[in-house]
């Protein structure tokens, strides 16, 4: 897995809706800093759907395997709409970046 390539993918595919920096602002989606180990729908200051708040997942890298290409299946009735990443390598690189950049 390449966090460096994942950073490029994040910038191309995710950056328009999310930030990862500590104290970063929310966009259409929440800031992802501190995501690992956080319960879904809990980032202070972001208005999540009730479905996301009630999902109850504690985010781990394993949970990301499906989210980038199945956002509505993993989290039904949420705001996130994302066409996905077809290549497994791209998904793994994005996950590596998220793990590294959201600590």
């Amino acid at each position: 897995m390449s966090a460096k390539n994942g950073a490029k993918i994040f910038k191309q595919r995710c950056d328009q809706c999310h930030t990862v920096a500590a104290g970063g602002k929310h966009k259409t989606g929440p800031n992802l800093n501190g995501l690992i180990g956080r319960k879904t729908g809990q980032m202070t200051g972001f208005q999540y759907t009730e479905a996301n708040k009630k999902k109850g997942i504690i985010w781990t890298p394993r949970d990301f395997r499906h989210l980038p290409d199945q956002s509505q299946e993993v989290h039904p009735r949420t705001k996130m709409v994302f066409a996905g990443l077809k290549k497994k390598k791209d998904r793994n690189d994005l996950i590596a970046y998220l793990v590294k950049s959201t600590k």
Side-chain angles (χ1 to χ4, degrees):
M1 291 193 282
S2 167
K4 184 176 179 180
N5 188 51
K8 292 176 189 174
I9 294 167
F10 186 89
K11 185 172 176 90
Q12 294 168 349
R13 305 293 298 274
C14 309
D15 189 57
Q16 59 272 29
C17 295
H18 295 283
T19 58
V20 294
K25 66 179 182 171
H26 298 305
K27 295 182 177 181
T28 303
N31 173 283
L32 301 178
N33 192 266
L35 183 64
I36 306 294
R38 186 173 69 218
K39 188 175 177 183
T40 55
Q42 303 300 312
M43 185 61 159
T44 303
F46 185 78
Q47 293 186 342
Y48 292 93
T49 62
E50 284 302 311
N52 198 315
K53 290 178 193 176
K54 293 178 181 179
K55 186 66 177 182
I57 291 173
I58 303 295
W59 286 113
T60 68
R62 182 181 172 147
D63 296 310
F64 299 138
R65 288 179 302 147
H66 303 293
L67 185 61
D69 63 352
Q70 299 174 353
S71 60
Q72 289 300 311
E73 292 176 35
V74 175
H75 294 288
R77 298 179 307 280
T78 64
K79 298 175 189 177
M80 185 171 169
V81 178
F82 183 62
L85 299 170
K86 303 291 184 223
K87 297 178 183 175
K88 185 176 181 177
K89 180 188 180 323
D90 288 347
R91 287 194 303 270
N92 287 337
D93 290 350
L94 178 60
I95 291 166
Y97 173 72
L98 288 172
V99 168
K100 181 179 178 182
S101 67
T102 64
K103 289 182 180 181

